[in-house]
Amino acid sequence: MKNIPLAIYQMKLNEYTNIEIADALRISDEELCKQMERINRDKQAFERRNQLEL
C-alpha cells in the first residue's frame, strides 16, 4: 500500500484501535508510531498554512 498514512488516518476516524490498524496494514507497532507522528506533523502544518491564509 503506497499511502499508509492516509489509511491510518481513515482507520483512526473509524475508531479502529492501534492493534487493529497495525494488523490490518501488516506493519509493526514502531512503524505505526512513526506514521502517526507523520500524520500529526502534516496535520499541524496544514493548520498553520490555513491560519496564514486568513
Coordinates of all heavy atoms in Angstrom, one line a residue:
M1 N 0.9 -1.2 0.0 CA 0.0 0.0 0.0 C 0.9 1.2 0.0 O 1.8 1.4 0.8 CB -0.9 0.0 1.2 CG -1.8 1.2 1.3 SD -2.9 1.1 2.7 CE -4.0 -0.3 2.2
K2 N 0.6 2.1 -0.9 CA 1.5 3.3 -1.1 C 1.2 4.4 -0.1 O 2.1 5.1 0.4 CB 1.4 3.9 -2.5 CG 2.0 3.0 -3.5 CD 2.0 3.7 -4.9 CE 2.7 2.8 -5.9 NZ 2.8 3.5 -7.1
N3 N 0.0 4.6 0.3 CA -0.4 5.7 1.2 C -0.8 5.2 2.6 O -2.0 5.3 3.0 CB -1.5 6.5 0.5 CG -1.4 7.9 1.1 OD1 -0.9 8.2 2.2 ND2 -2.0 8.9 0.3
I4 N 0.1 4.7 3.3 CA -0.1 4.1 4.6 C -0.7 5.2 5.6 O -1.6 5.0 6.3 CB 1.1 3.4 5.2 CG1 1.3 2.1 4.4 CG2 0.9 3.1 6.7 CD1 2.5 1.3 4.8
P5 N -0.1 6.4 5.6 CA -0.6 7.5 6.5 C -2.1 7.8 6.3 O -2.8 7.9 7.2 CB 0.3 8.7 6.2 CG 1.5 8.1 5.7 CD 1.2 6.9 4.9
L6 N -2.5 7.8 5.0 CA -3.9 8.1 4.7 C -4.8 6.9 5.2 O -5.8 7.1 5.8 CB -4.2 8.2 3.2 CG -5.6 8.5 2.8 CD1 -6.2 9.7 3.5 CD2 -5.7 8.6 1.3
A7 N -4.3 5.7 5.0 CA -5.1 4.5 5.5 C -5.2 4.6 7.1 O -6.3 4.3 7.6 CB -4.4 3.2 5.1
I8 N -4.1 4.9 7.7 CA -4.1 5.0 9.2 C -5.1 6.1 9.6 O -5.9 5.9 10.5 CB -2.7 5.3 9.7 CG1 -1.8 4.1 9.5 CG2 -2.8 5.6 11.2 CD1 -0.3 4.3 9.8
Y9 N -5.0 7.2 9.0 CA -5.9 8.4 9.3 C -7.4 8.0 9.2 O -8.2 8.2 10.1 CB -5.6 9.6 8.5 CG -6.4 10.8 8.8 CD1 -6.1 11.6 9.9 CD2 -7.4 11.2 7.9 CE1 -6.8 12.7 10.2 CE2 -8.2 12.3 8.2 CZ -7.9 13.1 9.3 OH -8.6 14.2 9.6
Q10 N -7.7 7.3 8.1 CA -9.1 6.9 7.9 C -9.5 5.9 8.9 O -10.6 5.9 9.4 CB -9.2 6.4 6.5 CG -9.1 7.5 5.4 CD -9.1 6.9 4.0 OE1 -8.8 5.8 3.8 NE2 -9.6 7.8 3.1
M11 N -8.6 4.9 9.2 CA -9.0 3.9 10.2 C -9.2 4.5 11.6 O -10.1 4.1 12.3 CB -7.9 2.8 10.2 CG -7.9 2.0 8.9 SD -6.6 0.8 8.8 CE -7.4 -0.6 9.7
K12 N -8.3 5.5 11.9 CA -8.5 6.2 13.2 C -9.8 6.9 13.3 O -10.5 6.9 14.3 CB -7.4 7.2 13.4 CG -6.1 6.6 14.0 CD -6.4 6.0 15.4 CE -5.2 5.8 16.2 NZ -5.5 5.3 17.5
L13 N -10.2 7.5 12.2 CA -11.5 8.2 12.1 C -12.7 7.2 12.3 O -13.7 7.6 12.9 CB -11.7 8.9 10.8 CG -10.9 10.2 10.6 CD1 -11.2 10.7 9.2 CD2 -11.2 11.2 11.6
N14 N -12.5 6.0 11.9 CA -13.5 5.0 12.1 C -13.3 4.2 13.4 O -13.9 3.1 13.6 CB -13.4 4.0 10.9 CG -14.0 4.6 9.6 OD1 -15.0 5.3 9.7 ND2 -13.3 4.4 8.5
E15 N -12.5 4.7 14.3 CA -12.3 4.3 15.6 C -11.7 2.9 15.7 O -12.0 2.1 16.7 CB -13.6 4.3 16.4 CG -14.2 5.7 16.5 CD -15.5 5.9 17.3 OE1 -16.0 4.9 17.8 OE2 -16.0 7.0 17.3
Y16 N -10.8 2.5 14.8 CA -10.1 1.3 14.9 C -9.0 1.5 16.0 O -8.5 2.6 16.2 CB -9.3 1.0 13.6 CG -10.2 0.4 12.5 CD1 -11.1 1.2 11.8 CD2 -10.1 -1.0 12.2 CE1 -11.9 0.6 10.8 CE2 -10.9 -1.5 11.2 CZ -11.8 -0.7 10.5 OH -12.6 -1.3 9.6
T17 N -8.6 0.4 16.7 CA -7.6 0.5 17.7 C -6.2 0.4 17.0 O -6.1 0.0 15.8 CB -7.6 -0.6 18.7 OG1 -7.4 -1.9 18.0 CG2 -9.0 -0.7 19.4
N18 N -5.2 0.8 17.7 CA -3.8 0.8 17.1 C -3.5 -0.7 16.7 O -2.8 -0.9 15.7 CB -2.8 1.3 18.0 CG -2.9 2.8 18.1 OD1 -3.6 3.5 17.4 ND2 -2.1 3.4 19.1
I19 N -3.8 -1.6 17.5 CA -3.6 -3.0 17.2 C -4.3 -3.5 16.0 O -3.7 -4.1 15.1 CB -3.9 -3.9 18.4 CG1 -3.1 -3.6 19.6 CG2 -3.9 -5.4 18.1 CD1 -3.5 -4.2 20.9
E20 N -5.5 -3.1 15.8 CA -6.3 -3.4 14.6 C -5.7 -2.8 13.4 O -5.6 -3.5 12.3 CB -7.7 -3.0 14.8 CG -8.5 -3.8 15.8 CD -9.9 -3.2 16.1 OE1 -10.0 -1.9 16.0 OE2 -10.8 -4.0 16.3
I21 N -5.2 -1.6 13.5 CA -4.6 -0.9 12.4 C -3.3 -1.6 12.0 O -3.1 -1.9 10.8 CB -4.4 0.6 12.7 CG1 -5.7 1.3 12.9 CG2 -3.6 1.3 11.6 CD1 -5.6 2.7 13.4
A22 N -2.5 -1.8 12.9 CA -1.2 -2.5 12.6 C -1.4 -3.8 12.0 O -0.7 -4.2 11.0 CB -0.3 -2.6 13.9
D23 N -2.3 -4.6 12.5 CA -2.6 -5.9 12.0 C -3.1 -5.8 10.6 O -2.7 -6.6 9.7 CB -3.6 -6.7 12.8 CG -3.0 -7.2 14.1 OD1 -1.7 -7.2 14.3 OD2 -3.8 -7.6 15.0
A24 N -4.1 -4.9 10.3 CA -4.7 -4.8 9.0 C -3.7 -4.3 8.0 O -3.7 -4.8 6.8 CB -5.9 -3.8 9.1
L25 N -2.8 -3.5 8.3 CA -1.8 -3.0 7.4 C -0.5 -3.8 7.4 O 0.4 -3.5 6.6 CB -1.5 -1.5 7.7 CG -2.7 -0.5 7.6 CD1 -2.3 0.9 8.0 CD2 -3.2 -0.5 6.2
R26 N -0.4 -4.7 8.3 CA 0.7 -5.6 8.4 C 2.0 -4.8 8.6 O 3.0 -5.0 7.9 CB 0.9 -6.5 7.2 CG -0.3 -7.5 7.1 CD -0.1 -8.4 6.0 NE -1.3 -9.4 6.0 CZ -1.6 -10.2 5.1 NH1 -0.9 -10.2 4.0 NH2 -2.6 -11.0 5.2
I27 N 1.9 -3.9 9.6 CA 3.1 -3.1 10.0 C 3.4 -3.3 11.4 O 2.5 -3.7 12.2 CB 2.9 -1.6 9.6 CG1 1.7 -1.0 10.3 CG2 2.8 -1.4 8.1 CD1 1.5 0.5 10.1
S28 N 4.6 -3.0 11.9 CA 4.9 -3.1 13.3 C 4.4 -1.9 14.1 O 4.0 -0.9 13.5 CB 6.5 -3.1 13.4 OG 7.0 -1.9 13.1
D29 N 4.4 -2.1 15.4 CA 3.9 -1.0 16.3 C 4.8 0.2 16.1 O 4.4 1.3 16.2 CB 4.0 -1.5 17.7 CG 2.9 -2.5 18.0 OD1 1.9 -2.6 17.3 OD2 3.1 -3.2 19.0
E30 N 6.1 -0.1 15.9 CA 7.1 1.1 15.7 C 6.8 1.8 14.5 O 6.8 3.1 14.5 CB 8.5 0.5 15.7 CG 9.1 0.0 17.0 CD 10.5 -0.5 16.9 OE1 11.1 -0.4 15.8 OE2 11.0 -1.0 17.9
E31 N 6.5 1.1 13.4 CA 6.1 1.8 12.1 C 4.8 2.5 12.3 O 4.7 3.7 11.8 CB 6.0 0.7 11.0 CG 5.7 1.3 9.7 CD 6.7 2.3 9.1 OE1 7.9 2.2 9.5 OE2 6.4 3.1 8.2
L32 N 3.9 2.0 13.0 CA 2.6 2.7 13.2 C 2.9 4.0 14.0 O 2.3 5.0 13.6 CB 1.6 1.8 14.0 CG 0.3 2.4 14.3 CD1 -0.5 2.8 13.0 CD2 -0.6 1.4 15.1
C33 N 3.7 3.9 15.0 CA 4.0 5.2 15.7 C 4.7 6.2 14.9 O 4.3 7.4 14.9 CB 4.9 4.8 16.9 SG 4.1 3.9 18.2
K34 N 5.6 5.8 14.0 CA 6.3 6.7 13.1 C 5.3 7.4 12.2 O 5.3 8.6 11.9 CB 7.4 6.0 12.3 CG 8.6 5.6 13.0 CD 9.5 4.9 12.1 CE 10.7 4.3 12.9 NZ 11.6 3.5 12.0
Q35 N 4.4 6.5 11.6 CA 3.4 7.1 10.7 C 2.4 8.0 11.4 O 2.0 9.0 10.8 CB 2.7 5.9 10.0 CG 3.5 5.1 9.1 CD 4.1 5.8 7.9 OE1 3.5 6.8 7.5 NE2 5.2 5.3 7.4
M36 N 2.0 7.7 12.6 CA 1.1 8.5 13.4 C 1.8 9.9 13.7 O 1.1 10.9 13.6 CB 0.7 7.9 14.7 CG 0.0 6.6 14.5 SD -1.8 6.7 14.5 CE -2.2 7.4 16.0
E37 N 3.1 9.9 14.0 CA 3.8 11.1 14.2 C 3.8 12.0 12.9 O 3.6 13.2 12.9 CB 5.3 10.9 14.6 CG 5.3 10.3 16.0 CD 6.7 9.9 16.4 OE1 7.7 10.0 15.6 OE2 6.9 9.4 17.5
R38 N 4.0 11.3 11.7 CA 4.0 12.0 10.4 C 2.6 12.6 10.2 O 2.5 13.7 9.7 CB 4.4 11.0 9.3 CG 4.3 11.6 8.0 CD 4.6 10.6 6.9 NE 4.4 11.1 5.6 CZ 4.3 10.4 4.5 NH1 4.6 9.1 4.5 NH2 4.0 11.0 3.3
I39 N 1.6 11.8 10.5 CA 0.2 12.3 10.3 C 0.0 13.6 11.1 O -0.5 14.6 10.6 CB -0.8 11.3 10.7 CG1 -0.8 10.1 9.6 CG2 -2.2 11.8 10.8 CD1 -1.5 8.9 10.1
N40 N 0.4 13.6 12.4 CA 0.3 14.7 13.3 C 1.1 15.9 12.8 O 0.6 17.0 12.8 CB 0.6 14.3 14.7 CG -0.4 13.4 15.3 OD1 -1.5 13.4 15.0 ND2 0.1 12.6 16.3
R41 N 2.3 15.7 12.3 CA 3.1 16.8 11.8 C 2.4 17.4 10.5 O 2.3 18.6 10.4 CB 4.5 16.3 11.4 CG 5.4 16.2 12.6 CD 6.9 16.0 12.1 NE 7.1 15.1 11.0 CZ 7.3 13.8 11.2 NH1 7.4 13.3 12.4 NH2 7.5 13.0 10.2
D42 N 1.9 16.5 9.6 CA 1.3 17.0 8.4 C 0.0 17.8 8.8 O -0.3 18.8 8.2 CB 0.9 15.9 7.5 CG 2.1 15.2 6.9 OD1 3.3 15.8 7.0 OD2 2.0 14.2 6.2
K43 N -0.7 17.3 9.8 CA -2.0 18.0 10.2 C -1.7 19.4 10.8 O -2.3 20.3 10.4 CB -2.7 17.1 11.2 CG -4.1 17.6 11.6 CD -4.7 16.6 12.5 CE -6.0 17.0 13.0 NZ -6.6 16.1 14.0
Q44 N -0.6 19.4 11.6 CA -0.2 20.7 12.2 C 0.2 21.7 11.1 O -0.1 22.9 11.1 CB 0.8 20.5 13.2 CG 0.4 19.8 14.5 CD 1.5 19.5 15.4 OE1 2.6 19.6 15.1 NE2 1.1 19.0 16.6
A45 N 1.0 21.2 10.1 CA 1.5 22.1 9.1 C 0.3 22.6 8.2 O 0.3 23.8 7.9 CB 2.4 21.3 8.2
F46 N -0.7 21.7 8.0 CA -1.9 22.1 7.2 C -2.6 23.2 8.0 O -3.0 24.2 7.4 CB -2.8 20.9 7.0 CG -4.0 21.2 6.2 CD1 -4.0 21.4 4.9 CD2 -5.2 21.3 6.9 CE1 -5.1 21.7 4.2 CE2 -6.4 21.6 6.2 CZ -6.3 21.8 4.8
E47 N -2.8 23.0 9.3 CA -3.5 24.0 10.1 C -2.7 25.3 10.2 O -3.4 26.4 10.1 CB -3.7 23.5 11.5 CG -4.7 22.4 11.6 CD -4.8 21.6 12.9 OE1 -4.0 21.9 13.8 OE2 -5.7 20.8 13.1
R48 N -1.4 25.3 10.3 CA -0.6 26.5 10.2 C -0.8 27.3 8.9 O -0.9 28.5 8.8 CB 0.9 26.2 10.5 CG 1.2 26.0 12.0 CD 2.7 26.0 12.2 NE 3.4 25.0 11.5 CZ 3.6 23.8 11.9 NH1 3.2 23.4 13.1 NH2 4.3 23.0 11.1
R49 N -0.7 26.5 7.8 CA -0.9 27.1 6.5 C -2.2 27.8 6.3 O -2.3 28.8 5.8 CB -0.7 26.0 5.4 CG -0.3 26.5 4.1 CD 0.0 25.4 3.1 NE 0.8 24.3 3.7 CZ 0.5 23.0 3.6 NH1 -0.6 22.6 3.0 NH2 1.2 22.1 4.2
N50 N -3.3 27.1 6.9 CA -4.6 27.7 6.8 C -4.7 29.0 7.6 O -5.3 30.0 7.2 CB -5.7 26.7 7.3 CG -6.0 25.7 6.3 OD1 -5.7 25.9 5.1 ND2 -6.6 24.6 6.7
Q51 N -4.0 29.0 8.8 CA -4.0 30.2 9.6 C -3.3 31.4 8.9 O -3.7 32.5 9.0 CB -3.3 30.0 10.9 CG -4.1 29.1 11.9 CD -5.4 29.8 12.3 OE1 -5.5 31.0 12.5 NE2 -6.4 28.9 12.5
L52 N -2.2 31.1 8.2 CA -1.5 32.1 7.4 C -2.4 32.7 6.3 O -2.2 33.9 6.0 CB -0.2 31.6 6.9 CG 0.9 31.2 7.9 CD1 2.0 30.6 7.2 CD2 1.3 32.5 8.7
E53 N -3.2 31.9 5.7 CA -4.1 32.4 4.7 C -5.2 33.3 5.1 O -5.7 34.0 4.4 CB -4.6 31.2 3.9 CG -3.6 30.4 3.1 CD -4.1 29.2 2.4 OE1 -5.4 29.0 2.5 OE2 -3.4 28.5 1.8
L54 N -5.5 33.2 6.4 CA -6.6 34.1 7.0 C -6.1 35.4 7.1 O -6.0 36.4 6.9 CB -7.1 33.5 8.3 CG -7.8 32.2 8.3 CD1 -8.1 31.7 9.7 CD2 -9.0 32.2 7.4

